[in-house]
Amino acid sequence: MLPPKIKRLTREYLYRKNLEGKQRLLYEKKRKIREALEEGKPIPTELRNEEAALRQDIDLEDGNTAVPMSHIDDEYVNTQRDPKILLTTSRDPSASLIQFAKELKLVFPNAQQMNRGGQVISEIIETCRAHDFTDVVLVHEHRGVPDGLIINHLPFGPTAYFQLLNVVTRHDIKDKKTVGTMPQVYPHLILNNFTTKHGGPKSIELKEIGPRFELRLYKIKLGTVDQNEAQTEWVFRPYMNTAKKQKFMGN
């Protein structure tokens, strides 16, 4: 059972998320009004009854309020908080799963690995909420082979479920000379002041550092991983496994 406070906050989170559809519809109406005014065209017939109210809203907007923000934007706007990730495994993990989890920890910046022990999922989620973790990553296996990965965003979700395929740990890569050293620094992108060309086709060299694996998303839930009653936002169906549908999902 979730504490009353968490239940209330979860309801508020889902309510804000549901409002996004209405805000997007209102944004589209105002966008059509703006375009008509800028291009000197007549106001669309379906918006004439709302024109006065919409134009009043447009006059009051600025650069920060003209485009609707999502619940995801609300979480990260004006904050410098880095993700704080807990990584753990299913119960009684094999040696190969433990090794994969250790290497996976180095893939996610600011990740902490925890031995699962006898803890149930609900206890792990509640502890992570109390200690301001932003995400929980769970790795599963079948007969000693890592085959599943769950990413649970905190405090209220969503939760993404992935199938793990073709896992090869750094430990299992045979040619040790080709495996680069695992960096201990946070990855970062520099996007400003690119005024000159840098490098070229012959001067770029990439090294595999591992681990090597493929991820296949098959389900997204709106709640946390311990909430069986949480609504399923998306799930992979067999009929999606066609060339046309795969192309659509890949766009």
Side-chain angles (χ1 to χ4, degrees):
M1 291 290 293
L2 291 175
K5 180 180 178 181
I6 297 299
K7 286 185 177 180
R8 176 177 58 81
L9 293 175
T10 302
R11 286 196 300 268
E12 292 176 359
Y13 164 79
L14 293 175
Y15 174 72
R16 292 197 308 270
K17 190 175 187 303
N18 290 332
L19 283 179
E20 292 176 14
K22 298 178 181 178
Q23 292 172 349
R24 177 60 59 179
L25 179 61
L26 180 61
Y27 168 76
E28 289 299 325
K29 290 181 178 180
K30 290 188 286 188
R31 182 184 62 80
K32 291 179 180 179
I33 294 287
R34 284 196 197 92
E35 289 182 354
L37 294 174
E38 291 172 357
E39 299 174 6
K41 295 180 179 179
I43 300 298
T45 305
E46 69 274 12
L47 298 179
R48 288 178 182 173
N49 292 335
E50 304 176 73
E51 178 187 357
L54 291 172
R55 291 184 66 167
Q56 185 177 5
D57 288 346
I58 292 172
D59 291 339
L60 296 174
E61 289 177 343
D62 57 23
N64 294 324
T65 59
V67 178
M69 296 180 66
S70 71
H71 65 288
I72 298 176
D73 296 323
D74 289 341
E75 180 179 356
Y76 291 104
V77 69
N78 297 327
T79 181
Q80 299 297 321
R81 185 177 70 156
D82 291 328
K84 183 180 178 182
I85 302 168
L86 179 77
L87 194 151
T88 189
T89 65
S90 54
R91 291 179 178 175
D92 300 321
S94 65
S96 60
L97 186 64
I98 293 174
Q99 178 65 34
F100 178 65
K102 287 180 179 179
E103 297 184 5
L104 199 61
K105 173 182 176 293
L106 300 176
V107 174
F108 297 105
N110 205 27
Q112 301 178 28
Q113 185 184 358
M114 182 191 77
N115 294 327
R116 172 75 175 272
Q119 291 194 71
V120 297
I121 290 295
S122 58
E123 292 175 350
I124 295 174
I125 297 298
E126 190 58 37
T127 300
C128 288
R129 281 199 189 103
H131 290 82
D132 294 327
F133 280 85
T134 61
D135 302 272
V136 175
V137 177
L138 301 167
V139 189
H140 294 267
E141 65 181 340
H142 179 67
R143 295 183 178 179
V145 178
D147 70 339
L149 185 142
I150 301 172
I151 300 178
N152 184 169
H153 187 59
L154 295 176
F156 310 120
T159 302
Y161 296 76
F162 297 88
Q163 180 185 9
L164 269 174
L165 302 167
N166 302 321
V167 175
V168 181
T169 63
R170 287 169 50 86
H171 179 75
D172 292 331
I173 296 177
K174 295 181 180 180
D175 191 354
K176 303 298 182 184
K177 294 182 180 180
T178 63
V179 179
T181 303
M182 180 67 78
Q184 299 298 315
V185 297
Y186 284 9
H188 58 278
L189 296 175
I190 300 175
L191 303 177
N192 299 325
N193 299 322
F194 273 94
T195 57
T196 60
K197 291 184 177 180
H198 178 71
K202 295 183 180 180
S203 63
I204 297 175
E205 182 178 352
L206 298 178
K207 280 191 174 182
E208 180 183 14
I209 59 176
R212 185 191 308 164
F213 58 90
E214 299 173 23
L215 285 176
R216 182 175 295 168
L217 178 66
Y218 67 87
K219 185 168 66 174
I220 300 175
K221 285 174 55 177
L222 291 181
T224 53
V225 68
D226 60 322
Q227 294 176 323
N228 296 326
E229 71 281 5
Q231 180 183 349
T232 298
E233 186 170 37
W234 180 86
V235 64
F236 179 80
R237 303 292 187 189
Y239 67 82
M240 294 180 179
N241 197 21
T242 65
K244 186 175 181 180
K245 292 289 177 62
Q246 286 178 348
K247 182 179 180 181
F248 171 77
M249 290 187 293
N251 289 339

